[in-house]
Amino acid sequence: MKESIHKYFQIGTIRWMSFLKTGVIESVKRIASDDFFDAIEITKCDSDEEREAVKSLLEQSHLKICYGAQPRLLGPKLNPNDLDEAGRKAAEDTLLEAIDEAEYLGAKGIAFLSGKWENESKEQAYAQLLKTTRNLCDYAATKGMQVELEVFDFDMDKASLIGPAPYAAQFAADMRMTHHNFGLLVDLSHFPTTYETSKFAVQVMKPYITHLHFGNAVVKEGKPMYGDKHPRLGYPNSANDVAELADYLHVLKQEGFFNPKNPLVLSMEVTLAPGEDEEIVLANTKRCLNRAWAVLED
């Protein structure tokens, strides 16, 4: 492409994935100081002091602020589709808190993920997830905010209810029947873990996609970083490199996602393997994105 990728997407990174070794405030400052980034994805702050400092930095930055509530669920193992109502409510409560914190920090919504499920109780889990998500969307709507569900693997690592692309589209369609402030977050990293191609996944979920990620996964059992670990692009025995990223961008272009008037966030979700360096892996990801964009046809 001859035109800048920044015309069509707000390029972001996920702070807690990119900077495993650097503190929250310093890593927010480093991202905010790098004009390659148009967006930042943040999560729960550990203290009022940290929250105030992050807010101050973000207010100066002109970055699009996104809030990922996934760590609020994954850390304490909370499940928004828990069949136990007390467990479901605990997950819902932390996500409602996430909406408040996201609003305070300047984000216009939150993203989260579904919980684990059992095959014999899948329909009940689906109903529980609808209940949680509708409650979140009701609350977010009072603040003019959006709720996004990230699509994960269903049988490899996270083993989330949502799930392969057709099931995610079904869930999104059910949600859109009652709430217009709901969307899906899709990630190139997860397509190999759901045994799907970029073309299939994007086409199936197209009406509901409101947020994009890209990254990598190792889907060969027994190999380092196997599962939903988001290693750098080109990692040994992994599924995605420049060619797969270029294909993802090609599919997004073909499916009408290049929208200069209302560009979606496209964030790199890449983290470190043992012994790796934050700055080098971040630069690696930028190089891969730049190259994939350069070989994309106008």
Side-chain angles (χ1 to χ4, degrees), residues 55-79:
K55 179 180 175 67
S56 176
L57 292 171
L58 293 176
E59 285 175 341
Q60 301 170 52
S61 70
H62 213 290
L63 285 166
K64 167 84 172 184
I65 303 161
C66 305
Y67 187 102
Q70 299 91 330
R72 281 177 169 264
L73 300 174
L74 293 169
K77 294 183 170 56
L78 295 174
N79 183 347

Side-chain angles (χ1 to χ4, degrees), residues 172-215:
D174 286 341
M175 279 301 306
R176 287 277 181 91
M177 290 291 288
T178 56
H179 294 83
H180 294 170
N181 62 331
F182 175 81
L184 293 176
L185 193 169
V186 302
D187 186 346
L188 173 65
S189 309
H190 296 154
F191 300 160
T193 71
T194 53
Y195 321 105
E196 295 166 330
T197 63
S198 290
K199 183 176 182 179
F200 177 83
V202 171
Q203 286 184 339
V204 167
M205 296 184 285
K206 178 179 176 179
Y208 314 108
I209 295 171
T210 55
H211 193 149
L212 300 160
H213 284 173
F214 72 92

